[in-house]
Amino acid sequence: MTLGYYPGCALKAHATSLEYGISTEAVLAELGIEFQEIPDWNCCGASAGHMTNSALTRALNVRNLALAEAAGLTDVLAPCPLCAKELALANNEVKEDAELLEQAQDAAEMVYKCTARPLTLVQYLHEQRDLVRERAAGKLPDIPVACYYGCLHTRPPDAMGFDDAEQPTTMDELCRILGLQPVEWSHKTECCGAGFTMSKPDVVARLTGRILGAASLAGAEAVVVACPMCHANLDMRQGEAAADAGLGDDFHMPIIYLAQILGLALGIAPDDLSLGTHFVDPSDIVARLRGEPPLETPGDEAPEEK
Amino acid sequence: MRLQLTNAQVGSEWKREVDRRVGRQMSACYQCGKCSAGCPVAYEMFHPVHAMVRLVQLGRKDEALRSRSQWVCVACEACSTRCPKDVDPARLMTVLREMAQEEGCVNADEIDIYDFHQSFLSSVRMFGRVYEMGLVAAYKMKRPVHRGPQDVLTGMKMMRRGKPGLLPHRVQNVAAIRRIYEKTRLQRTTDRKSD
Amino acid sequence: MSRIGVFICHCGENIGSVVDCERAAKTLASHPGVAYSTDYKYMCSDPGQNLVKKAIADHKLTGVVVSACSPRMHEPTFRNAAADAGLNPYLCEMANIREHCSWVHEDKEAATRKAIELIRLMVEKVKANEELQPIHVPITKRALVIGGGIAGIQAALDIANAGHEVVLVEREPSIGGHMLQLSETFPTLDCSQCILTPRMVEVARHPKIKLYTYSEVEALDGYIGNFEVTIRMKARSVDIEKCTGCGACMQKCPSRKILSEFNAGLLVPDPENPKKKLGYRTAIYTPSPQAVPNKPVIDREHCLYFQKGKCGVCAKVCPTDAIDYTQEETTVTEKVGAVVVATGYQVWSVAKAAEDYPYLGYGEYGYGTHPDIIDGLQFERLLSASGPTSGRVLRPSNGKEPKTVVFLSCVGSRDNEKGFTYCSKICCMYLSKHAMLYKHKVHDGQAYNFYMDIRAGGKTYDEFTRRTIEEDGCIYLRGRVSRIFPRGDKLVVQGADTLSNAQVEVEAELVVLATAITAQPDAEQLAQRLRVAYDKDRFFSEAHPKLRPVESQTAGIFFAGACQGPKDIPESVAQASAAASKAAGLLNADELEREPVVAQVHRAAPPVYSICFGCFFCERVCPYGAIEREEIRDRGGNLIKTVARVNEGLCTGCGLCAASCRANAITLRGFNDEQLFAVVNAIGEEQEESKAATP
């Protein structure tokens, strides 16, 4: 069965999180998974839609789900958990309330029979963990990493229906399969500030400071994420976060996508996973993950390359 | 602070409307505070989450709609996940945001947040997908002096890495997207014929 | 020839304001078979009852119909009045013209006609009633008390002191229950063991109490006054006749790393030697130094001898040769007349729950996996002089004294989503006590208590909680805690203080969760074994929440203590004495009088014997297990057939068997076919009657 693929605005369009899109597609191809982008998908509404107009968000997402259904794609992989949540929430709401379904179908001008199933990347890979084990078990060294789920992978529990809302373990399990050493830490599901990255960056600084601090305290040498907003917030504002927390020095914590980690384990080259476009230079840890000797002088800025 | 409560206020139609739109009963909340306890941005709120529910319980519509709290909320759903009475405060926050827009009383102190949401949604309306450059430009243009210099260095760093893209991605059937916007537009109370 | 008396009650305004009682009385007066018909304001009053008695004498009535409220209210009142006047009480019936008529209709004309109809039907029934005599059953003058905690102990002592023998069954190796695990009790701060152990010893010494410890109730057969209980005595592997309780076996036992149930699984590093942990027990053990009986048991699952065939040290060192590895489980039966259930409660855990319970556990508190997050019972063991640390408050993570302790109320209680909807009642008080005792032991420590409400309704309870705040400096914060997570070697507690309208964070060194108290894990199975009702939370259901708190709905079985619902020690003791008085009252009589409204299986002369053909469908439907099988044999001892027989002691007269019997072989006395058809056939004859009678 072909996997439906909903990249979302953050992964496509040369957006801020293009790494996630590139690495996800590379990994799916390498694993031999046939996937198809939902034809003519539209934005899920993200934070702005969810926060300011629920009817609009529902209609936008019913359109996406109906498009997937019409293309014969029932499993819809949405690597961005915010997109996945909006799709799942809309799906749940219209399944339970016929009036809402009618309103959404009317606005979206499409018929939706409620057969689609949105998935996050973590959920999908966890379902495919036997394949992951077969292809990439133990391929990475046992570097301690903090698996960061963010607020949306497991919440709201009714909509996401996946893993434990308070102490999730699926991403940790996947990393362990690959050979990494996921640490026990306290901020797995604490919010990073999400959509406030431009409109209220001091909140992002505060929240990411707490997260990065907890990850450091737990002895992690990198944070593994599976959300483009989390990546952007954790990767791009470490200086401000450190300043807000009153620390003398920057965090220097590489933030790597789960798809990139899996890609490295499958032997894909770092450039093909867009590991060169992060703010916090991950070259050192990437080298160690690939079993190469560490670089001599890790800078705190990645080299300027496209 | 002094409250003069009236039967009309504590038994108002507005309270029932809130309950209906959230799909839960605000009277079920026994003010345990677990929501506020776990809120990552409680430090920013004058009325933390439980206090917002309390405002609704006492029919204090004006204070509820004019509050800053719903705008600084990051919609992380921690409160609703842990609420022992299934009051769904996260959904209440969305309803209050919608109502504030409908009544035209979005808190002016958080205009940045509101403007960003609006710019985002305008971008999606135009293209069907977010055009990041356009979004940032539109957002900054609304208050150029204040927002212009923000994140200039970060922006340059991003450009050097090829993000975001210079051109928008479009949905083919943009007209359909625009019709969705039309049909789901929030009704301002001044537009409504009857209340 | 029937001479029925009809008495119509106004019940003040309840009936009188809707039904025209005077007209009804006049109408019924002309009904065939009615010799006397009147109405009165309050039939249940003394004058009202005297009216009935006088009419029975004056008019030589052969039956009485009192038309008033529901028979559930006053049927016994009027039946007793009839009996006083010399009329068999079962010839007196009530027609319900209140709950079934005046309280549910507004149309007065229609209501009056309906009331007349209802009374008429009941008159027809009474014409077919038979005189019934109460059933007498013998009583075994002994009581069974299940559970040896404070409630069971109190009940056993009260019944024994009232002069009846008591069989007390306790499943742990020692009696004492949870109260034995506590350090000090609120509000007096009495040492719990000091006030309990004298009672425990009294139970052990009492000549009228037969104590079975390390035993469980396997089955309860029979009925009120005549129960037979099957008790399974688990194998102690110790001969308690020979054992002197010297404790040499425990000193020498090499298996010393078993979690102690008595210490609620608490382990604390020894401050002198942090690599060693305190709080374990040995494989041969007594739960506590004050155990009654002070005789050990061998935990075979952890004993080297039983698991690997090695060791055997205890047998070697025992001076009286009391160790018996070959001892086996035995079963005994005891006959008793009354049962008191006092099986108590268990303390709920925040761990990820077992499959069959719909509870998720508290992931936001780490599912209780962190050593410094403990529950109330474990903190009691920490405080207790007989506990792992001899009463020093120490952190289970590193054995150091915590300078900041945070207490959380309502963990799992009053939680519709993740726990139980009810309030566990005792936690507000014991947390207050904990904070107080902590401060008494750690003078420079600071206690915080996150609470939702303070429930301190007992005598001097509220003053007690104020002392904690005003004298011992405990900071009470009004709000629940959202999350607890470790940071370094401390715990960050993220809660709220709604009184300050704030989110508050406290860095704690020890966190005590007041987890809910719940029914025992096997409460449901026990209830089904005893055939008593229980509620959605598996607490046993009393017969009436207000007026019959210690009786079950099953005759002869009473409840005492926390098994019926969360409660503290004074309430448990009060309930135990109440249950004991009910049981003793039952056992005082020589015979038990039972209502004769019971079912009866048809019997006839040979060759029919009975029209019952032995399908035993009645046995399947009877909720009280009151159907027995009777073998009918000829003089030669050959079996002719096996038919059903109703055990009149157990039968409550519900009528399910009579309704289900395919052969129509079962009659419910007082509601036989003739009576019921009399009522049914009389419906609709009203038209002619009332036309004739209406003035």
Side-chain angles (χ1 to χ4, degrees):
Chain A
M1 193 176 67
T2 313
L3 177 67
Y5 180 54
Y6 178 88
C9 307
L11 272 66
K12 279 280 166 174
H14 273 284
T16 312
S17 308
L18 48 84
E19 302 95 342
Y20 199 12
I22 292 170
S23 51
T24 300
E25 291 180 32
V27 159
L28 289 175
E30 181 63 35
L31 287 173
I33 293 166
E34 210 185 301
F35 64 94
Q36 184 196 338
E37 210 170 296
I38 311 294
D40 213 33
W41 58 267
N42 53 264
C43 177
C44 69
S47 298
H50 174 77
M51 288 189 178
T52 62
N53 190 335
S54 32
L56 169 65
T57 313
R58 200 175 305 119
L60 286 171
N61 287 299
V62 165
R63 180 171 184 273
N64 284 321
L65 292 166
L67 287 167
E69 198 178 63
L73 305 160
T74 41
D75 275 1
V76 178
L77 170 66
C80 166
L82 182 49
C83 300
K85 181 204 105 176
E86 296 306 335
L87 290 168
L89 200 59
N91 207 15
N92 268 24
E93 285 177 344
V94 299
K95 268 189 199 173
E96 281 170 27
D97 189 331
E99 207 183 301
L100 287 177
L101 175 61
E102 204 187 299
Q103 282 168 17
Q105 285 183 147
D106 179 57
E109 293 166 4
M110 290 197 74
V111 171
Y112 177 51
K113 296 194 214 83
C114 303
T115 58
R117 184 173 84 111
L119 296 161
T120 58
L121 183 65
V122 176
Q123 194 173 357
Y124 180 70
L125 289 176
H126 191 256
E127 284 178 7
Q128 302 293 324
R129 60 190 178 283
D130 287 336
L131 175 61
V132 170
R133 198 175 283 124
E134 199 186 296
R135 298 288 307 273
K139 289 276 171 34
L140 299 176
D142 61 346
I143 296 174
V145 294
C147 288
Y148 177 61
Y149 295 76
C151 55
L152 296 174
H153 264 101
T154 56
R155 298 200 291 249
D158 290 341
M160 301 313 277
F162 166 65
D163 208 347
D164 187 304
E166 298 291 350
Q167 310 276 353
T169 52
T170 42
M171 206 194 300
D172 298 68
E173 210 183 306
L174 286 166
C175 288
R176 207 171 284 122
I177 289 175
L178 300 177
L180 293 168
Q181 196 192 77
V183 299
E184 274 307 305
W185 66 301
S186 54
H187 281 57
K188 280 184 173 178
T189 56
E190 291 294 296
C191 185
C192 67
F196 284 175
T197 189
M198 280 218 74
S199 49
K200 207 164 175 74
D202 51 296
V203 164
V204 172
R206 175 71 55 93
L207 269 45
T208 52
R210 291 178 192 162
I211 295 164
L212 293 165
S216 301
L217 197 60
E221 294 179 25
V223 178
V224 181
V225 301
C227 167
M229 289 268 43
C230 299
H231 186 278
N233 285 339
L234 288 169
D235 184 49
M236 293 185 354
R237 296 194 187 278
Q238 290 195 4
E240 293 155 54
D244 182 79
L247 299 174
D249 190 20
D250 208 329
F251 282 107
H252 301 297
M253 180 72 77
I255 314 292
I256 313 187
Y257 283 103
L258 179 66
Q260 292 171 320
I261 292 269
L262 178 55
L264 289 173
L266 290 169
I268 303 175
D271 280 349
D272 294 335
L273 298 167
S274 193
L275 275 159
T277 51
H278 295 200
F279 267 49
V280 176
D281 182 18
S283 326
D284 181 38
I285 198 150
V286 167
R288 286 167 60 204
L289 286 168
R290 300 185 76 212
E292 291 160 13
L295 298 181
E296 295 205 355
T297 47
D300 46 7
E301 278 249 349
E304 295 164 12
E305 46 170 297
K306 284 224 162 80
Chain B
M1 184 176 71
R2 187 173 176 281
L3 294 177
Q4 179 80 45
L5 296 177
T6 62
N7 290 358
Q9 181 186 338
V10 302
S12 68
E13 180 55 42
W14 175 72
K15 276 183 62 170
R16 283 192 281 282
E17 175 74 5
V18 171
D19 275 1
R20 198 187 56 78
R21 285 167 74 158
V22 177
R24 299 284 194 282
Q25 262 183 283
M26 294 304 110
S27 61
C29 169
Y30 49 26
Q31 294 286 297
C32 73
K34 196 165 179 180
C35 46
S36 304
C39 175
V41 284
Y43 72 92
E44 275 278 345
M45 296 181 179
F46 177 72
H47 287 297
V49 186
H50 77 280
M52 295 300 292
V53 180
R54 188 66 183 154
L55 289 175
V56 178
Q57 285 180 337
L58 293 181
R60 294 168 66 185
K61 175 178 173 183
D62 262 359
E63 284 116 321
L65 296 190
R66 286 174 200 282
S67 168
R68 274 181 62 238
S69 301
Q70 58 263 42
W71 298 106
V72 302
C73 160
V74 284
C76 75
E77 299 274 338
C79 50
S80 289
T81 302
R82 293 181 187 149
C83 174
K85 293 297 292 285
D86 196 24
V87 173
D88 204 350
R91 176 114 190 94
L92 172 67
M93 289 291 158
T94 298
V95 168
L96 291 176
R97 286 185 284 256
E98 289 175 352
M99 285 182 165
Q101 292 173 81
E102 289 161 4
E103 307 263 340
C105 51
V106 175
N107 189 302
D109 288 342
E110 298 302 334
I111 196 69
D112 285 343
I113 293 176
Y114 182 65
D115 278 349
F116 190 82
H117 289 323
Q118 292 307 100
S119 305
F120 188 103
L121 289 178
S122 300
S123 180
V124 174
R125 185 168 188 277
M126 207 179 308
F127 301 109
R129 296 175 192 173
V130 169
Y131 172 38
E132 281 189 19
M133 292 279 273
L135 156 63
V136 171
Y139 171 66
K140 291 197 178 199
M141 296 281 262
K142 292 193 189 185
R143 285 179 76 193
V145 174
H146 185 80
R147 296 170 187 168
Q150 187 192 348
D151 278 333
V152 166
L153 289 174
T154 311
M156 280 159 57
K157 272 194 207 173
M158 284 170 65
M159 302 274 277
R160 287 203 287 267
R161 286 159 172 74
K163 19 176 157 175
L166 291 170
L167 292 172
H169 273 216
R170 273 187 185 76
V171 162
Q172 280 176 1
N173 194 353
V174 184
I177 306 297
R178 290 185 193 151
R179 284 196 294 275
I180 289 180
Y181 270 74
E182 268 309 301
K183 287 189 183 157
T184 57
R185 200 160 57 97
L186 288 174
Q187 296 278 333
R188 308 217 90 175
T189 44
T190 45
D191 293 343
R192 285 195 207 144
K193 295 196 177 92
S194 60
D195 224 326
Chain C
M1 189 51 218
S2 291
R3 298 180 58 76
I4 313 286
V6 174
F7 304 84
I8 303 179
C9 185
H10 289 238
C11 194
E13 287 302 302
N14 278 306
I15 299 174
S17 63
V18 180
V19 171
D20 184 347
C21 298
E22 222 182 289
R23 176 176 131 208
K26 285 208 180 75
T27 312
L28 263 307
S30 54
H31 183 83
V34 174
Y36 179 74
S37 178
T38 186
D39 63 298
Y40 187 67
K41 267 278 185 198
Y42 294 103
M43 283 301 303
C44 55
S45 63
D46 275 347
Q49 290 180 54
N50 286 334
L51 196 59
V52 175
K53 293 182 199 178
K54 192 164 181 302
I56 290 174
D58 289 350
H59 298 269
K60 297 187 182 18
L61 298 178
T62 59
V64 162
V65 174
V66 178
S67 321
C69 50
S70 160
R72 285 179 70 96
M73 307 291 295
H74 281 300
E75 189 175 72
T77 312
F78 295 113
R79 284 194 170 165
N80 286 337
D84 280 350
L87 183 68
N88 182 291
Y90 296 93
L91 298 174
C92 167
E93 292 271 11
M94 286 187 73
N96 184 345
I97 57 170
R98 190 180 76 172
E99 283 87 337
H100 286 183
C101 191
S102 71
W103 269 4
V104 297
H105 297 302
E106 287 170 349
D107 182 339
K108 292 187 189 178
E109 175 55 35
T112 305
R113 284 212 309 277
K114 177 174 170 178
I116 292 169
E117 174 81 345
L118 288 173
I119 301 167
R120 231 175 31 82
L121 297 176
M122 206 40 85
V123 167
E124 289 302 310
K125 177 172 190 283
V126 170
K127 283 181 187 173
N129 273 18
E130 302 166 323
E131 290 188 5
L132 298 174
Q133 303 303 330
I135 302 164
H136 294 275
V137 295
I139 303 179
T140 309
K141 288 176 185 281
R142 296 170 91 223
L144 168 68
V145 176
I146 309 178
I150 181 61
I153 288 171
Q154 184 65 45
L157 286 171
D158 283 345
I159 298 174
N161 288 335
H164 301 291
E165 264 183 43
V166 177
V167 174
L168 176 57
V169 179
E170 164 58 52
R171 70 161 155 214
E172 296 298 319
S174 161
I175 54 175
H178 285 303
M179 191 174 169
L180 195 60
Q181 293 172 288
L182 307 181
S183 70
E184 286 161 67
T185 54
F186 57 79
T188 50
L189 295 184
D190 278 315
C191 154
S192 184
Q193 286 113 8
C194 306
I195 56 177
L196 178 61
T197 45
R199 303 253 168 134
M200 288 164 63
V201 170
E202 213 185 319
V203 163
R205 286 183 50 240
H206 204 293
K208 283 204 184 284
I209 298 181
K210 194 168 177 186
L211 181 59
Y212 286 93
T213 51
Y214 209 49
S215 306
E216 301 222 35
V217 168
E218 276 298 291
L220 183 71
D221 297 308
Y223 54 99
I224 177 175
N226 298 274
F227 290 109
E228 189 175 275
V229 59
T230 308
I231 300 170
R232 176 168 62 96
M233 298 169 64
K234 301 186 279 198
R236 276 180 182 256
S237 318
V238 170
D239 184 340
I240 54 175
E241 303 295 317
K242 293 182 183 166
C243 174
T244 59
C246 70
C249 51
M250 289 186 272
Q251 281 176 356
K252 299 289 182 199
C253 177
S255 307
R256 312 192 77 84
K257 285 232 171 124
I258 306 164
L259 284 179
S260 162
E261 296 84 351
F262 192 75
N263 281 334
L266 181 69
L267 293 174
V268 184
D270 187 346
E272 331 285 280
N273 178 9
K275 283 212 205 304
K276 186 173 141 216
K277 288 230 170 97
L278 304 167
Y280 288 118
R281 64 160 169 82
T282 45
I284 182 166
Y285 72 105
T286 53
S288 117
Q290 291 118 334
V292 168
N294 192 12
K295 314 272 163 94
V297 306
I298 296 185
D299 170 10
R300 292 187 176 185
E301 274 173 51
H302 292 103
C303 168
L304 284 175
Y305 182 87
F306 285 100
Q307 294 299 314
K308 297 193 182 150
K310 296 183 187 163
C311 188
V313 168
C314 50
K316 289 179 200 142
V317 300
C318 177
T320 57
D321 207 22
I323 308 291
D324 179 7
Y325 298 120
T326 63
Q327 198 181 74
E328 279 175 7
E329 229 172 56
T330 48
T331 312
V332 297
T333 55
E334 292 275 2
K335 287 202 194 314
V336 297
V339 179
V340 176
V341 184
T343 48
Y345 65 92
Q346 69 163 337
V347 172
W348 189 65
S349 155
V350 297
K352 269 211 179 170
E355 299 291 321
D356 61 331
Y357 269 56
Y359 308 121
L360 305 170
Y362 273 68
E364 58 264 56
Y365 301 164
Y367 293 116
T369 50
H370 194 282
D372 287 335
I373 302 179
I374 62 178
D375 65 39
L377 198 53
Q378 290 171 323
F379 194 69
E380 288 282 347
R381 296 310 302 148
L382 210 50
L383 291 169
S384 171
S386 71
T389 59
S390 310
R392 291 185 57 191
V393 178
L394 301 175
R395 299 178 72 189
S397 59
N398 59 14
K400 297 204 168 60
E401 207 170 55
K403 300 297 180 192
T404 311
V405 179
V406 175
F407 299 94
L408 269 65
S409 309
C410 301
V411 178
S413 311
R414 305 177 65 189
D415 188 335
N416 293 27
E417 293 296 302
K418 283 190 181 172
F420 309 88
T421 54
Y422 58 82
C423 163
S424 290
K425 201 164 190 188
I426 60 175
C427 332
C428 287
M429 286 308 295
Y430 79 62
L431 282 187
S432 170
K433 174 192 74 171
H434 282 177
M436 202 185 276
L437 294 175
Y438 165 68
K439 195 67 194 210
H440 292 182
K441 288 176 192 266
V442 181
H443 298 297
D444 58 341
Q446 176 66 53
Y448 295 87
N449 188 338
F450 281 96
Y451 72 101
M452 276 174 65
D453 293 291
I454 303 183
R455 298 190 164 176
K459 211 162 164 180
T460 72
Y461 281 17
D462 202 78
E463 295 93 318
F464 182 85
T465 58
R466 292 310 310 173
R467 268 172 54 196
T468 310
I469 299 170
E470 294 168 18
E471 289 175 32
D472 296 300
C474 179
I475 298 292
Y476 267 60
L477 297 161
R478 202 231 160 243
R480 266 194 160 139
V481 166
S482 180
R483 201 162 88 94
I484 306 174
F485 61 90
R487 185 159 68 197
D489 71 338
K490 301 237 185 351
L491 287 164
V492 177
V493 177
Q494 253 185 291
D497 182 26
T498 61
L499 300 177
S500 309
N501 212 27
Q503 181 185 59
V504 302
E505 195 180 282
V506 179
E507 226 175 41
E509 291 180 315
L510 181 64
V511 175
V512 180
L513 306 176
T515 55
I517 61 172
T518 72
Q520 293 277 12
D522 61 345
E524 191 170 9
Q525 286 89 316
L526 181 65
Q528 288 174 349
R529 232 178 275 154
L530 301 177
R531 289 203 205 88
V532 292
Y534 56 98
D535 65 23
K536 74 181 198 318
D537 298 307
R538 296 173 176 83
F539 288 112
F540 300 137
S541 297
E542 61 289 321
H544 189 280
K546 285 284 197 189
L547 298 178
R548 300 175 69 193
V550 297
E551 296 162 72
S552 74
Q553 286 159 342
T554 310
I557 302 185
F558 308 98
F559 300 133
C563 63
Q564 181 255 348
K567 56 179 65 71
D568 57 20
I569 293 169
E571 288 174 334
S572 299
V573 170
Q575 267 205 347
S577 294
S581 88
K582 297 260 177 208
L586 171 64
L587 300 177
N588 276 352
D590 286 316
E591 276 186 329
L592 201 58
E593 228 182 60
R594 301 272 286 140
E595 279 253 331
V597 178
V598 292
Q600 196 176 20
V601 180
H602 175 261
R603 293 300 298 271
V608 176
Y609 294 103
S610 173
I611 56 175
C612 164
F613 56 83
C615 74
F616 296 107
F617 193 49
C618 51
E619 193 182 45
R620 291 237 300 277
V621 303
C622 175
Y624 301 97
I627 302 288
E628 294 166 346
R629 296 185 177 214
E630 186 183 6
E631 289 177 345
I632 299 179
R633 294 178 179 276
D634 66 17
R635 283 175 195 259
N638 304 308
L639 180 67
I640 299 170
K641 62 172 169 179
T642 311
V643 298
R645 183 177 66 192
V646 174
N647 178 326
E648 292 182 347
L650 275 172
C651 177
T652 61
C654 73
L656 265 175
C657 56
S660 339
C661 179
R662 293 180 259 219
N664 204 18
I666 303 188
T667 313
L668 184 59
R669 280 192 233 142
F671 292 91
N672 64 30
D673 284 356
E674 196 193 330
Q675 292 163 310
L676 295 176
F677 278 120
V679 172
V680 170
N681 286 334
I683 298 174
E685 290 173 2
E686 176 236 6
Q687 264 87 19
E688 295 98 73
E689 292 253 352
S690 52
K691 276 184 202 154
T694 317

